[in-house]
């Protein structure tokens, strides 16, 4: 009986604790102990890698520093009608938080955008808008002058295009960036170093590609001389690398 009475007393004491429910102490700071506020809990969760999911229409340019996930945010990097989930990392300066750097990663395809706001805090400052990060993803490497190249992974439909790197039999190197088409021609001119050779040469390789492979359709050499133009089957271009961007 004495134990039950003691437990009831303790329970009544806890229930009557001044400010029970979260108001008994001031919020904790870096100098003083106290209760954690919802904002402090949110900040702690973000430091461990957790993102805060915010509603449609949230303005990413006014958010405090942190890690967020938002679909159809105001001032998102793609456009007002886009509903993609985008992950935002925001850092700010230590003074008045007007200077801010924002990194946005589109969850569905991995596209990355950057934006900065400078000291006056206006959207027009800093970069003045979103900048998309350009990067190349390798899908094939080797050295071929004919046949079919099979990509290491399928080209995703929302990528911009491919970049094909090449070398010629005259040791000329370069690349061709292919956008908005599934076929292309690499054409490289060459004037021999031999002073006794007065010809002008042109190497040409034509190809088509889809999401899985690249087909070399032809690879030829044209020679322009005093006697006229001749075409032969010399394969003057070698494909050495294919990247998607």
């Amino acid at each position: 009986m004495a134990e039950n009475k003691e437990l009831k007393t303790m329970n009544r004491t806890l229930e009557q604790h001044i400010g029970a429910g979260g108001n008994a102490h001031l919020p904790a700071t870096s100098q003083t102990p106290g209760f954690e506020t919802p904002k402090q809990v949110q900040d702690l969760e973000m430091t461990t890698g957790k993102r805060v999911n915010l509603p449609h229409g949230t303005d990413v340019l006014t958010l405090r520093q942190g890690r967020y996930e938002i679909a159809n945010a105001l001032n998102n990097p793609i456009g007002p009608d886009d509903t993609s989930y985008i992950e935002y990392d925001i850092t700010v300066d230590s003074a008045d938080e007007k200077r801010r750097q924002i990194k946005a990663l589109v969850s569905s395809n991995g596209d990355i955008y950057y934006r900065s706001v400078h000291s006056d805090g206006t959207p027009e400052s800093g970069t003045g808008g979103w900048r998309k990060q350009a990067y190349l993803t390798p899908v094939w490497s080797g050295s071929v002058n004919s046949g079919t190249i099979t990509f290491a992974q399928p080209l995703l439909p929302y990528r911009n295009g491919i970049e094909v790197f090449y070398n010629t039999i005259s040791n000329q190197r370069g690349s061709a960036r292919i956008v908005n088409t599934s076929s292309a021609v690499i054409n490289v001119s060459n004037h021999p170093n031999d002073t006794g050779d007065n010809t002008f040469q042109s190497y040409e390789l034509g190809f088509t590609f889809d999401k899985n492979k690249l087909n070399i359709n032809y690879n030829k050499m044209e020679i322009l001389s005093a006697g006229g133009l001749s075409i032969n089957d010399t394969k003057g271009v070698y494909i050495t690398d294919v990247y998607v961007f």
Side-chain angles (χ1 to χ4, degrees):
M1 293 295 292
E3 290 180 354
N4 288 338
K5 183 176 180 181
E6 186 175 344
L7 287 172
K8 288 180 180 179
T9 301
M10 291 176 62
N11 184 58
R12 188 164 51 250
T13 301
L14 288 173
E15 289 178 346
Q16 294 175 351
H17 182 76
I18 298 174
N23 298 319
H25 303 286
L26 293 173
T29 71
S30 58
Q31 287 81 34
T32 59
F35 285 161
E36 279 192 336
T37 65
K39 176 179 176 294
Q40 289 170 329
V41 172
Q42 194 178 76
D43 287 344
L44 181 60
E45 289 177 337
M46 286 191 287
T47 62
T48 63
K50 184 176 180 179
R51 294 189 180 277
V52 176
N53 186 284
L54 296 178
H56 300 336
T58 299
D59 188 351
V60 298
L61 298 185
T62 61
L63 288 172
R64 60 190 179 88
Q65 68 184 47
R67 300 158 62 88
Y68 305 96
E69 178 184 65
I70 316 170
N72 194 223
L74 181 63
N75 290 311
N76 76 73
I78 300 177
D81 298 323
D82 182 76
T83 58
S84 304
Y85 273 104
I86 300 179
E87 322 293 342
Y88 296 94
D89 291 335
I90 302 174
T91 57
V92 298
D93 69 278
S94 59
D96 54 12
E97 300 189 2
K98 286 186 176 181
R99 287 195 306 277
R100 54 184 54 229
Q101 301 79 44
I102 308 172
K103 176 183 176 182
L105 186 147
V106 182
S107 182
S108 61
N109 60 24
D111 281 347
I112 299 174
Y113 297 83
Y114 288 94
R115 182 167 186 168
S116 69
V117 177
H118 199 46
S119 300
D120 63 5
T122 62
E124 296 77 19
S125 63
T127 57
W130 291 99
R131 306 288 177 87
K132 186 176 182 179
Q133 176 177 308
Y135 57 92
L136 297 174
T137 302
V139 293
W140 183 84
S141 182
S143 181
V144 298
N145 60 11
S146 63
T148 298
I149 291 172
T150 301
F151 300 142
Q153 61 194 58
L155 306 183
L156 299 174
Y158 42 73
R159 305 315 307 180
N160 297 316
I162 64 172
E163 186 160 2
V164 179
F165 289 76
Y166 62 83
N167 189 17
T168 73
I169 56 176
S170 303
N171 292 320
Q172 296 154 298
R173 301 176 185 274
S175 67
R177 183 164 282 200
I178 318 303
V179 181
N180 298 327
T181 183
S182 59
S183 63
V185 172
I186 296 173
N187 191 292
V188 184
S189 299
N190 177 59
H191 192 290
N193 291 327
D194 185 353
T195 57
D197 188 343
N198 294 319
T199 64
F200 182 82
Q201 303 168 356
S202 176
Y203 312 125
E204 185 172 294
L205 180 147
F207 63 89
T208 55
F209 68 95
D210 57 29
K211 67 177 183 179
N212 297 306
K213 62 186 182 301
L214 181 151
N215 293 311
I216 298 176
N217 300 322
Y218 65 87
N219 194 353
K220 63 182 182 179
M221 176 178 171
E222 297 180 350
I223 301 176
L224 181 63
S225 66
L229 178 66
S230 63
I231 301 175
N232 61 51
D233 293 330
T234 299
K235 295 177 172 56
V237 179
Y238 285 79
I239 294 178
T240 58
D241 296 276
V242 180
Y243 289 79
V244 61
F245 64 91

